[in-house]
Amino acid sequence: NPKVLLEMSGNMIYWLKLGVDGFRADAIPYLWKEEGTACENLPGTHTIVQFFRAVLDYFRPNSLLLAEACQKPNDVVKYFGEGDECNAGYHFPLMPQMFKALAMQSNAPVMNILSREVTPLIPEIAQWFTFLRCHDELSLELVYVSEKDREYIHDNYCKNPLWDFRQGQGISARLAELFDRNPDRILLAYSLMLSLPGTPVIYYGDEFGKTNDEKYYKEMIRLTGKDDTRFLVRGKVNWDHVDHALSDKTSYEGSIFENLSRLINTRKLYFAFGRGMINYVKILHPDDQICEKIFAYYRTNGCERLLIVQNLSGEEVTIKTPNSKLYPFEKDLLDHTLVFDEEREVMIIPPYAYYWILT
């Protein structure tokens, strides 16, 4: 209905006047409906999105239109159009594959999902949004994970029957809970997300390790009469407790916040993270066997070149030094100590360790 379209555009303009920087287009594939169709990814949807984009560009150039499309990457990229639809889109399929990689202690799941066969190139002016948790549950919708992957991830991360969401379609648990409230594992996951291509999103409270809130969950069941396990990951923040905890950098909350802040602030210094190329590095054990537990890659942009090395496992790993020019380095950009045995030409990487090295 054209009247609805204009009213919606007027609402967007209203919020732009108030200073809003952009809009998240929720469930965008279902925007246009037609009788006799599945009402999903129809051509009319793209006409509407192009219209909204034109309105935003006219009234506030550089406003953001973000596609929330729970689809495979090949379908999501259609919502970028020719640079005339959404500016960015959530990379839903990447999220569960990061969790799978950490559970398997293997770089293969992430490398596969980011391959050109699965994640095609996008317009130069578009961007992926990446996340570990930016919505209510660790979503395992079959539209972008296989039944086998869903079962594997669910078995490894749904550690409490209460966390089950819609009979295996997801896991209602905070990031901290999924990683057993272990700061080392939480920070490794952040290193992975923050160093891969895309613009990262952090869910409120995860920056200091907020845990599931069963009190809020029960309160909302009482108020709404609905047992929705996603209430576990919502809830309020006890700011007095958080402020006190963050004042101690050695506390559980303080450790996560301090190290995550360092990751974010370091990332901001290098364009290679946001716009650079990614080139994977084949890591070898001293006996020349391939080591999948270490996930390493270069992020490059112009003259910027950073080597990311991450131990996806909970055990110390010794590898052949990926680049002999690293030997003079004692610390990385994050102030982490690098350990080499130059005579044996090996690098020793502690459990869950991660390094960002400017080469």
Side-chain angles (χ1 to χ4, degrees):
N1 188 320
K3 291 182 179 179
V4 175
L5 184 64
L6 292 175
E7 286 293 330
M8 291 177 69
S9 299
N11 288 336
M12 294 168 76
I13 295 166
Y14 169 83
W15 288 106
L16 289 175
K17 288 180 179 178
L18 292 181
V20 164
D21 292 313
F23 300 87
R24 169 182 176 267
D26 182 58
I28 198 170
Y30 313 99
L31 185 60
W32 182 262
K33 313 288 186 185
E34 286 183 21
E35 291 289 347
T37 74
C39 300
E40 182 177 6
N41 296 320
L42 297 179
T45 300
H46 297 281
T47 303
I48 298 270
V49 176
Q50 288 167 1
F51 188 92
F52 286 149
R53 173 67 182 272
V55 169
L56 292 176
D57 285 352
Y58 180 79
F59 282 92
R60 173 80 74 76
N62 301 317
S63 297
L64 176 71
L65 187 59
L66 171 63
E68 191 254 15
C70 295
Q71 307 280 312
K72 289 182 170 59
N74 277 313
D75 287 321
V76 179
V77 296
K78 296 174 184 176
Y79 290 95
F80 299 142
E82 299 297 326
D84 59 349
E85 294 190 35
C86 291
N87 308 90
Y90 286 117
H91 201 314
F92 278 95
L94 173 60
M95 178 271 295
Q97 297 306 321
M98 287 191 282
F99 282 94
K100 182 183 177 183
L102 292 164
M104 287 180 62
Q105 303 180 16
S106 168
N107 53 38
V110 172
M111 290 174 64
N112 176 66
I113 201 70
L114 292 181
S115 67
R116 285 286 168 259
E117 293 76 22
V118 182
T119 299
L121 287 171
I122 59 177
E124 182 67 24
I125 59 173
Q127 180 64 301
W128 290 109
F129 271 35
T130 58
F131 58 97
L132 291 165
R133 315 295 322 111
C134 82
H135 54 341
D136 300 313
E137 81 284 353
L138 198 169
S139 180
L140 299 172
E141 295 188 33
L142 290 179
V143 71
Y144 56 80
V145 296
S146 66
E147 189 65 66
K148 186 176 180 181
D149 276 358
R150 171 191 273 186
E151 182 180 1
Y152 180 83
I153 295 168
H154 203 273
D155 286 349
N156 277 274
Y157 288 101
C158 192
K159 299 157 189 176
N160 183 332
L162 186 63
W163 301 354
D164 190 24
F165 177 70
R166 291 180 183 167
Q167 298 179 325
Q169 290 188 39
I171 304 169
S172 295
R174 279 270 175 178
L175 185 68
E177 304 285 14
L178 295 167
F179 291 120
D180 301 318
R181 306 187 186 186
N182 182 331
D184 292 337
R185 296 180 67 196
I186 294 168
L187 290 163
L188 170 63
Y190 273 128
S191 171
L192 184 61
M193 180 188 72
L194 291 167
S195 62
L196 288 173
T199 295
V201 179
I202 296 176
Y203 191 52
Y204 85 105
D206 282 354
E207 71 274 16
F208 54 78
K210 180 172 168 57
T211 55
N212 279 10
D213 191 336
E214 292 194 20
K215 181 180 178 182
Y216 180 80
Y217 167 64
K218 293 173 182 176
E219 177 186 341
M220 291 307 294
I221 291 176
R222 187 173 65 253
L223 289 174
T224 66
K226 183 179 180 181
D227 183 358
D228 187 336
T229 58
R230 293 177 298 180
F231 290 135
L232 284 167
V233 302
R234 299 172 185 174
K236 305 165 187 175
V237 175
N238 183 338
W239 288 112
D240 289 338
H241 169 76
V242 172
D243 288 342
H244 176 73
L246 295 187
S247 66
D248 178 6
K249 295 179 181 180
T250 65
S251 68
Y252 161 76
E253 294 92 344
S255 172
I256 294 171
F257 186 81
E258 182 71 14
N259 286 284
L260 178 56
S261 296
R262 186 179 293 119
L263 281 165
I264 292 170
N265 290 327
T266 301
R267 187 185 191 279
K268 288 179 179 179
L269 298 175
Y270 300 97
F271 288 111
F273 287 116
R275 284 296 188 183
M277 300 292 293
I278 184 168
N279 300 101
Y280 302 112
V281 179
K282 183 166 71 173
I283 298 296
L284 301 175
H285 287 293
D287 62 1
D288 288 331
Q289 295 295 308
I290 293 176
C291 177
E292 289 191 356
K293 291 182 178 180
I294 303 301
F295 195 10
Y297 39 86
Y298 284 102
R299 299 301 316 279
T300 56
N301 183 62
C303 61
E304 284 183 1
R305 188 168 185 255
L306 297 105
L307 174 62
I308 312 301
V309 181
Q310 298 159 125
N311 184 354
L312 305 182
S313 77
E315 58 189 44
E316 182 178 277
V317 179
T318 300
I319 61 170
K320 281 192 167 182
T321 306
N323 186 333
S324 61
K325 294 180 180 179
L326 297 179
Y327 291 131
F329 287 86
E330 295 182 357
K331 290 183 179 292
D332 72 345
L333 293 171
L334 305 167
D335 203 34
H336 295 161
T337 301
L338 303 173
V339 181
F340 301 103
D341 184 330
E342 192 170 349
E343 186 175 333
R344 294 171 56 209
E345 298 183 347
V346 299
M347 184 176 183
I348 301 156
I349 307 176
Y352 306 125
Y354 53 90
Y355 302 110
W356 291 10
I357 307 164
L358 183 63
T359 61

